[in-house]
Amino acid sequence: MLELIEINPEKAPQMTVIWLHGLGADGHDFEGVVPFLNIPSHCQIRFIFPHAPYRNITVNMGMRMRAWYDILNPVLGLPGEDQSGIEQSCAQIAQIIDKEKTNGVEAGQIVLAGFSQGGAIALHLGLRYHKSLAGILALSTYMPLLESVHTELFVANQNTPILYLHGQADPVIPIVTAERSRQKLHECGCNLTTKDYPVAHSVSPDEILDIGTWLTERCELVCQSFGSDRSIDKAAS
């Protein structure tokens, strides 16, 4: 199992968000964002921030850093991607999803989120996971192994809500790269919502508020779907 950080709600979680960091960062990268999401008290959400393992990164002259997979080409999304590294990381995140069941949280109550390289893993795994998820949050990212999604998409996750946010001036993952991924998601019939912000390779304050609103909506819908034992008492919040 990966090392990870957990932020737990006051009561039993109604939903879990597994949030993956970008290349060279660690699980602490988005830990500080949680208070700024303005999640209302009637939503009991557990946040899990895993640390990626250390890898040698080819485009960074072989430097060793936390990464979900190797980057072999500075132009992302081209053939020759590190498929084995991507699949290894997806298997490790799938372990976390499976383990959440012991905490009373089913796959349908889990959102996969990620920034940059972490978002690539969230998209890759989220579309292929063998059970329907509550949502996929893709931030400043792209979809790796783009051409395989048609044949590997798990039908239960075709309707999983995807919120795909990007910076209009992103120099690391240009918005044209994100648009190729979005187009492929549209072709696959995915439930996709997109929005762009006037920022570079980062998450803006407005974006954080939009994420918080979306996660709140996902939590409320999850509670409706999973019955009265997880219903939300808004009057008490």
Side-chain angles (χ1 to χ4, degrees), residues 37-219:
L37 295 172
N38 292 333
I39 302 293
S41 60
H42 66 259
C43 290
Q44 300 294 307
I45 302 177
R46 183 206 315 280
F47 288 87
I48 296 177
F49 300 95
H51 300 298
Y54 285 95
R55 302 174 188 271
N56 298 320
I57 303 301
T58 299
V59 297
N60 289 345
M61 297 182 292
M63 288 180 61
R64 192 166 176 81
M65 60 186 64
R66 290 196 183 274
W68 299 110
Y69 52 92
D70 191 9
I71 302 292
L72 304 173
N73 191 315
V75 182
L76 299 172
L78 294 181
E81 295 172 281
D82 179 19
Q83 181 171 348
S84 63
I86 291 168
E87 292 176 350
Q88 180 187 39
S89 287
C90 284
Q92 290 173 313
I93 301 304
Q95 282 185 316
I96 298 175
I97 297 174
D98 295 341
K99 186 176 182 296
E100 276 301 281
K101 189 171 183 178
T102 65
N103 295 318
V105 180
E106 301 290 339
Q109 297 165 269
I110 292 176
V111 168
L112 277 184
F115 175 80
S116 194
Q117 198 184 59
I121 294 295
L123 283 169
H124 187 87
L125 174 60
L127 295 172
R128 292 164 175 80
Y129 191 69
H130 63 280
K131 294 181 181 179
S132 181
L133 300 172
I136 301 169
L137 176 60
L139 308 174
S140 301
T141 191
Y142 70 105
M143 194 159 56
L145 305 176
L146 192 64
E147 297 308 317
S148 67
V149 67
H150 269 302
T151 56
E152 297 177 2
L153 174 67
F154 189 70
V155 65
N157 277 311
Q158 189 172 27
N159 292 322
T160 297
I162 302 172
L163 183 63
Y164 195 144
L165 311 179
H166 210 84
Q168 295 167 335
D170 192 332
V172 178
I173 303 175
I175 196 164
V176 293
T177 302
E179 286 297 339
R180 283 198 297 270
S181 296
R182 290 169 169 178
Q183 181 60 37
K184 181 64 70 173
L185 291 168
H186 281 301
E187 292 172 4
C188 290
C190 293
N191 182 4
L192 180 65
T193 301
T194 66
K195 187 172 180 180
D196 301 322
Y197 301 82
V199 296
H201 195 60
S202 61
V203 177
S204 73
D206 287 342
E207 190 173 353
I208 290 170
L209 291 176
D210 289 341
I211 292 167
T213 298
W214 185 78
L215 289 176
T216 298
E217 292 170 352
R218 298 311 312 146
C219 186

